Amino acid sequence: MGINIKLDNCYIYSCGVVATKEEALHLSDYLDIVHDSLFADGKYYVDGEKQMLIEAISFALTKAQLSKDDLDFILGGDLSNQITTSTEIATLFETSYLGLFSACATSVEAINIASIILEGKKAKNILVYTSSNYGVSERQFRYPTTYGIQKKQTCTTTVNGAVAIILSSKKTKIKVSAVTFGRAIDSLSLNVNDMGSLMAIAAFDTLKKHLKASETNCKDYDLILTGDLSKVGISVLKQMLKEEGEDVDNISDAGELIYKDNEKKLAGGSGPACLPLVAFSLIINKMESSEYKKVLLIATGSLHSKVSVAQQHNIPVIAHLLELIKEEEK
Amino acid sequence: MTYLMSFLFAGTVCLLAQLIYEFTKLTQGHIVTLFVIIGASLSFFNIYDKIIEIFHSGATSLIMNYGHMLYQSAKIGAKTNDYFQIFIEIMKSTSGLVSYAIILALIISFIKRPRP
Amino acid sequence: MTYTKYQEIVKKETPKKKLAQHLLFAFISGGLIATLGELFYNFALNILHFPLEESSFFAGICLVSLASILTMLTFHNDLAQLCGAGMFLPTTGFANSLTSASMEGRSEGLIQGIGASIFSLAGSVICYGILISWYFATIYYLLNLWGINIWA
């Protein structure tokens, strides 16, 4: 029914990755710019987010040796209200813009949609971008940043960073070989303090559907990287897969990796930029050096709002998946 | 001696609030509002006055004291046997603290931008 | 994978709460703030020779100032993560909610930003305090009117 689609015409052309010192602890060699703080050079949080996004996009365009006018589509999304940050950046281009909201699953959703457009040969170069900022999202979804609240140990912290990826039909070393779109699932819970466990339901559902459609098992991949599941969510997902008889040694979580050993960040990182920051810096590098040949990226998101939770509506969750393979030299 | 009594009372009430925060789904805002209501209720039954006599600042530093002060000034209004005096008198004794807190918060927000 | 099995797994994998540490720090920090309040009160009463009501007002505003300044310097939220209820229950919590909410609204200007969001967190304290006091005062008024005098 169109959930899992195999592709033959979509390649990762270049990526621009920008973050701050705290995220760079485990990713430093692979980031394009590392800022001292989440404000970059701006006055307010939103200025920092926009600056990092513009820098990431410039790097992606420069590395691909393309100009703004060579792009056929731009797709972007983030966590700000009505995705105004992404849209304001899109006004700097004269290309058609598709704004997406899927909370922390935005990055993979955007790449998947871009891949289908490229597969249908309706475009040659597509730009996909996403960003996240602690100050912007904390204010909208939780409390003011200086408010004295004792967060629970299972809460996650939004990462500060921006990632821009250019996909094209021109052959490169990294190919997007299949995409699986997830479905929105009612998690039957209102627990905003432990979103990792809730999103594990969606990750499990989408992963099982992909494995069934592609007739593979978890151990056929070199790495399965999930998005924002945090320390708690990744152990829940691994346990759920073990119950189904899968081998779970190659499953990791980007949120846990990015803030490893940082007690202040509680259970780990989250945000639309969390998975792309790890995947399109560290993992792409490992794929280019052939350490990993076949990788799955699963981005998970929880699609609630502050108002809907206060109105006692359950939190919907979603997970989108994409498969990357290393093309052999011909 | 008064220092020890203040320490013990405030510590115990905060311990109780922490237990409620850990074991129920109530947020911080719910718990603070609950304690203000408890403070006003204890004041109605003339218990809070006695608590202040024994524990001094332990009882006046907490937000429960806010409920107590609101009730006491409303009671002054009710005693005059004129119903409108309740509305006129109710915020008189808490106006000092709240006004000062608002003014200081505004001045600080004019000077400083938010930092994480 | 049924929903009940999933719930069992979540319960097993959720890390244990740091209960003892949180309770201990809540007790100590709540007590310390009250002791500080008592210190300021005695200072105003005995050294500055203020009358009784003004001394207790002085103690209150000292705690409020302390909390607001700690919020401005961004130490308050780190302390609160450690101390929990010991920081949000005394008047320091009230002052912190006013200051942090108004600081956050700065990017939207004076009226729509600072002015509109200053009471976004502390509003319920004031609202429900007034409501419940009015309710009890009405009961007292009616009892007084009908000559019933349970307590003076």
Side-chain angles (χ1 to χ4, degrees):
Chain A
M1 269 194 296
I3 308 168
N4 174 282
I5 303 171
K6 295 196 184 17
L7 304 168
D8 209 25
N9 202 28
C10 177
Y11 296 85
I12 306 275
Y13 200 1
S14 70
C15 341
V17 186
V18 177
T20 68
K21 279 193 309 211
E22 289 168 328
E23 289 80 34
L25 274 176
H26 296 283
L27 302 172
S28 54
D29 298 332
Y30 311 110
L31 296 176
D32 292 314
I33 300 184
V34 175
H35 283 285
D36 283 329
S37 80
L38 71 169
F39 289 101
D41 301 322
K43 270 169 66 174
Y44 297 113
Y45 295 120
V46 71
D47 302 324
E49 187 177 8
K50 280 165 74 171
Q51 186 187 334
M52 287 200 235
L53 194 49
I54 292 177
E55 285 169 355
I57 295 177
S58 315
F59 268 101
L61 284 171
T62 315
K63 285 185 205 173
Q65 290 166 342
L66 292 170
S67 78
K68 284 191 330 187
D69 307 315
D70 296 325
L71 298 168
D72 298 305
F73 281 98
I74 48 176
L75 288 90
D78 62 88
L79 274 182
S80 57
N81 276 337
Q82 288 84 58
I83 50 168
T84 45
T85 308
S86 300
T87 314
E88 282 171 26
I89 301 298
T91 57
L92 301 169
F93 294 82
E94 286 174 12
T95 327
S96 298
Y97 166 67
L98 298 173
L100 305 167
F101 181 78
S102 205
C104 309
T106 309
S107 55
V108 173
E109 179 184 342
I111 296 177
N112 288 3
I113 295 178
S115 313
I116 304 182
I117 301 179
L118 283 172
E119 188 71 9
K121 303 212 168 72
K122 304 296 182 196
K124 287 214 190 68
N125 298 306
I126 302 185
L127 170 69
V128 161
Y129 60 80
T130 183
S131 69
S132 67
N133 191 291
Y134 175 73
V136 172
S137 58
E138 192 75 6
R139 184 186 175 185
Q140 280 169 198
F141 286 92
R142 293 194 191 128
Y143 298 102
T145 43
T146 45
Y147 185 51
I149 184 162
Q150 185 182 49
K151 295 187 190 158
K152 313 269 178 179
Q153 292 298 313
T154 50
C155 287
T156 52
T157 314
T158 312
V159 304
N160 303 303
V163 179
I165 305 147
I166 297 189
L167 296 131
S168 97
S169 48
K170 185 169 163 186
K171 286 200 191 317
T172 63
K173 285 190 215 164
I174 317 275
K175 179 180 174 184
V176 179
S177 53
V179 296
T180 300
F181 287 96
R183 64 181 179 104
I185 305 178
D186 185 343
S187 65
L188 300 174
S189 165
L190 285 169
N191 191 5
V192 282
N193 291 323
D194 187 7
M195 288 192 274
S197 312
L198 304 181
M199 295 194 286
I201 303 175
F204 178 77
D205 186 79
T206 308
L207 182 60
K208 290 292 285 181
K209 289 206 163 78
H210 178 82
L211 293 176
K212 187 169 170 202
S214 58
E215 287 165 8
T216 51
N217 287 322
C218 285
K219 60 177 172 21
D220 296 327
Y221 298 95
D222 293 317
L223 175 70
I224 299 180
L225 189 69
T226 55
D228 300 23
L229 293 183
S230 79
K231 284 184 217 164
V232 185
I234 195 69
S235 37
V236 169
L237 178 67
K238 281 188 179 178
Q239 200 59 35
M240 284 165 88
L241 289 169
K242 268 193 201 158
E243 297 277 330
E244 304 271 315
E246 295 279 354
D247 184 1
V248 295
D249 289 329
N250 54 355
I251 302 184
S252 315
D253 181 59
E256 191 187 5
L257 279 173
I258 202 167
Y259 282 146
K260 210 175 186 130
D261 305 326
N262 193 340
E263 282 296 318
K264 270 185 93 172
K265 307 289 180 178
L266 304 164
S270 77
C274 184
L275 176 70
L277 272 178
V278 177
F280 292 100
S281 58
L282 189 64
I283 309 297
I284 288 282
N285 217 281
K286 293 200 174 181
M287 286 182 83
E288 282 178 356
S289 61
S290 295
E291 196 177 324
Y292 293 143
K293 296 216 180 70
K294 207 173 178 192
V295 168
L296 284 185
L297 299 178
I298 310 178
T300 55
S302 89
L303 307 170
H304 68 286
S305 75
K306 207 168 165 184
V307 172
S308 77
V309 170
Q311 289 173 334
Q312 312 286 314
H313 300 311
N314 288 329
I315 298 175
V317 290
I318 197 166
H320 294 297
L321 181 153
L322 73 94
E323 183 185 294
L324 294 174
I325 59 173
K326 165 91 192 284
E327 282 279 91
E328 296 306 323
E329 309 288 317
K330 292 215 175 73
Chain B
M1 190 57 196
T2 55
Y3 291 102
L4 184 68
M5 299 304 270
S6 308
F7 184 95
L8 289 174
F9 181 73
T12 316
V13 175
C14 290
L15 190 83
L16 199 68
Q18 183 71 24
L19 277 170
I20 299 177
Y21 185 63
E22 294 278 347
F23 288 113
T24 62
K25 290 196 181 139
L26 294 177
T27 65
Q28 212 158 287
H30 290 113
I31 297 175
V32 177
T33 316
L34 184 70
F35 273 85
V36 172
I37 295 176
I38 291 176
S41 315
L42 287 177
S43 190
F44 177 61
F45 293 112
N46 277 353
I47 300 175
Y48 209 77
D49 296 328
K50 302 198 177 55
I51 293 179
I52 294 185
E53 272 173 35
I54 306 172
F55 296 108
H56 297 267
S57 274
T60 58
S61 308
L62 301 176
I63 205 78
M64 284 164 74
N65 191 42
Y66 186 77
H68 162 72
M69 285 200 283
L70 281 174
Y71 174 69
Q72 290 299 321
S73 21
K75 182 168 149 184
I76 292 172
K79 264 190 177 155
T80 63
N81 283 329
D82 177 6
Y83 193 62
F84 290 151
Q85 284 296 324
I86 295 180
F87 297 98
I88 295 174
E89 298 275 336
I90 193 165
M91 286 199 81
K92 282 206 173 153
S93 56
T94 60
S95 72
L97 207 65
V98 177
S99 311
Y100 183 82
I102 292 175
I103 293 167
L104 193 60
L106 284 173
I107 293 176
I108 287 178
S109 66
F110 294 153
I111 307 172
K112 191 108 160 76
R113 271 181 249 125
R115 300 255 130 203
Chain C
M1 177 60 50
T2 56
Y3 189 67
T4 35
K5 188 84 182 95
Y6 159 76
Q7 279 180 312
E8 273 171 33
I9 294 177
V10 172
K11 210 166 173 179
K12 212 177 69 167
E13 299 289 336
T14 311
K16 272 194 154 13
K17 291 193 259 224
K18 293 183 183 174
L19 196 63
Q21 184 194 4
H22 284 169
L23 291 177
L24 184 70
F25 275 102
F27 182 80
I28 292 177
S29 56
L32 275 176
I33 291 181
T35 317
L36 257 172
E38 180 72 13
L39 211 79
F40 288 129
Y41 176 74
N42 284 338
F43 176 74
L45 198 61
N46 299 328
I47 298 180
L48 297 176
H49 299 296
F50 283 166
L52 222 63
E53 196 191 325
E54 283 204 25
S55 305
S56 106
F57 175 68
F58 181 80
I61 63 172
C62 280
L63 283 180
V64 166
S65 312
L66 182 70
S68 290
I69 291 173
L70 279 179
T71 308
M72 180 171 88
L73 301 171
T74 68
F75 292 137
H76 193 117
N77 51 344
D78 295 327
L79 274 173
Q81 177 66 29
L82 192 65
C83 305
M87 295 294 281
F88 75 66
L89 206 59
T91 1
T92 49
F94 178 71
N96 168 254
S97 64
L98 289 184
T99 316
S100 64
S102 67
M103 266 169 80
E104 200 73 21
R106 188 161 151 167
S107 58
E108 281 120 67
L110 291 175
I111 304 287
Q112 286 179 305
I114 297 177
S117 57
I118 188 166
F119 277 114
S120 58
L121 298 159
S124 37
V125 170
I126 297 181
C127 277
Y128 292 108
I130 292 181
L131 186 74
I132 205 82
S133 307
W134 162 80
Y135 174 73
F136 281 133
T138 309
I139 296 180
Y140 182 86
Y141 171 80
L142 291 172
L143 291 177
N144 224 11
L145 209 61
W146 299 331
I148 307 169
N149 219 346
I150 309 175
W151 47 80

